[in-house]
Amino acid sequence: AQSVTQLDSQVPVFEEAPVELRCNYSSSVSVYLFWYVQYPNQGLQLLLKYLSGSTLVKGINGFEAEFNKSQTSFHLRKPSVHISDTAEYFCAVSDPHTGFQKLVFGTGTRLLVSP
Amino acid sequence: KAGVTQTPRYLIKTRGQQVTLSCSPISGHRSVSWYQQTPGQGLQFLFEYFSETQRNKGNFPGRFSGRQFSNSRSEMNVSTLELGDSALYLCASSPPPSGGPYEQYFGPGTRLTVT
């Protein structure tokens, strides 16, 4: 079964600094990858997705992620963070063999941006 | 376009009772998925419905059930509530066609507390 690992449970960073949130998934077969953000007391909002094509994916709010098949990674990056980026970030994988809509999520990374 | 709506937003139930949560997908979306989010287990897939049929199911006991109506609205039911069922229950809908890994749009969730 697919699994997703987000090694960093919490990442503190200063405003305007760059950040990278790490995500690794378990299988090298074709999968689809997503990053979602969750603000307090809210649902999940899609930041970006990788389905196929270019390995560098750009999303909303200045975020981007790079798909690396050989390392089974899909790390999320932002060159300059804002206070408003403080939230929990979830990496998720969709495996066509188990159902496209069955997302398997990582445990999440809490991004804490301070002034 | 209105987003995914979930009712109620908050719910307190007693152990042994049953509960029904409701989800209205984005207009035109036919696939509805449910997830449970807890601090201990994270985000876990419950089930997915498409055209009133359960298309996929996660690893939850039979106390968790759901259904979808002809207008794509969905309900999930938990019978014989246990303390461990306390969680945020998230509903997500996906646009047609449903034959691929289309992104899921999440509602704000229903916070269920079992006492």
Side-chain angles (χ1 to χ4, degrees):
Chain A
Q2 282 285 351
S3 66
V4 176
T5 302
Q6 293 181 248
L7 284 173
D8 305 306
S9 60
Q10 192 165 289
V11 172
V13 64
F14 288 109
E15 195 175 19
E16 298 183 8
V19 71
E20 178 180 83
L21 306 184
R22 296 180 293 168
C23 171
N24 288 86
Y25 60 97
S26 61
S27 174
S28 60
V29 300
S30 293
V31 294
Y32 306 101
L33 296 155
F34 305 83
W35 274 99
Y36 282 87
V37 61
Q38 186 176 35
Y39 298 100
N41 299 316
Q42 293 187 29
L44 302 176
Q45 180 184 11
L46 180 70
L47 280 176
L48 47 79
K49 62 187 178 189
Y50 173 78
L51 304 182
S52 64
S54 173
T55 57
L56 183 63
V57 179
K58 293 192 183 297
I60 63 171
N61 300 342
F63 284 95
E64 63 181 33
E66 183 142 26
F67 170 64
N68 188 318
K69 188 173 181 179
S70 62
Q71 296 187 8
T72 60
S73 67
F74 190 54
H75 300 332
L76 180 71
R77 302 187 186 102
K78 186 169 183 178
S80 176
V81 296
H82 302 290
I83 297 285
S84 59
D85 292 323
T86 294
E88 186 127 25
Y89 293 79
F90 293 93
C91 180
V93 63
S94 165
D95 183 342
H97 300 287
T98 57
F100 287 115
Q101 304 306 322
K102 182 180 179 180
L103 291 177
V104 175
F105 285 90
T107 50
T109 297
R110 188 174 301 275
L111 178 63
L112 297 170
V113 183
S114 53
Chain B
K1 216 179 224 186
V4 177
T5 58
Q6 293 187 245
T7 55
R9 289 292 311 276
Y10 301 91
L11 204 49
I12 300 175
K13 288 287 188 179
T14 303
R15 202 168 31 177
Q17 289 184 316
Q18 75 164 17
V19 67
T20 299
L21 312 182
S22 180
C23 171
S24 293
I26 292 171
S27 177
H29 288 195
R30 292 167 62 192
S31 169
V32 174
S33 299
W34 289 88
Y35 293 83
Q36 181 196 63
Q37 185 177 22
T38 61
Q41 299 298 317
L43 280 153
Q44 293 185 286
F45 173 82
L46 279 157
F47 26 66
E48 183 223 350
Y49 286 86
F50 178 76
S51 290
E52 303 178 63
T53 301
Q54 186 180 87
R55 193 160 63 170
N56 208 339
K57 189 178 188 302
N59 190 26
F60 278 81
R63 300 186 298 106
F64 292 82
S65 63
R67 59 177 175 168
Q68 186 180 35
F69 302 95
S70 58
N71 61 358
S72 295
R73 191 177 69 84
S74 177
E75 289 181 346
M76 69 162 281
N77 185 282
V78 187
S79 62
T80 319
L81 283 165
E82 300 177 359
L83 295 178
D85 297 333
S86 294
L88 181 67
Y89 290 89
L90 293 163
C91 167
S93 71
S94 295
S98 63
Y102 299 97
E103 61 242 44
Q104 297 183 33
Y105 295 82
F106 283 81
T110 294
R111 172 78 61 186
L112 172 65
T113 302
V114 182
T115 61

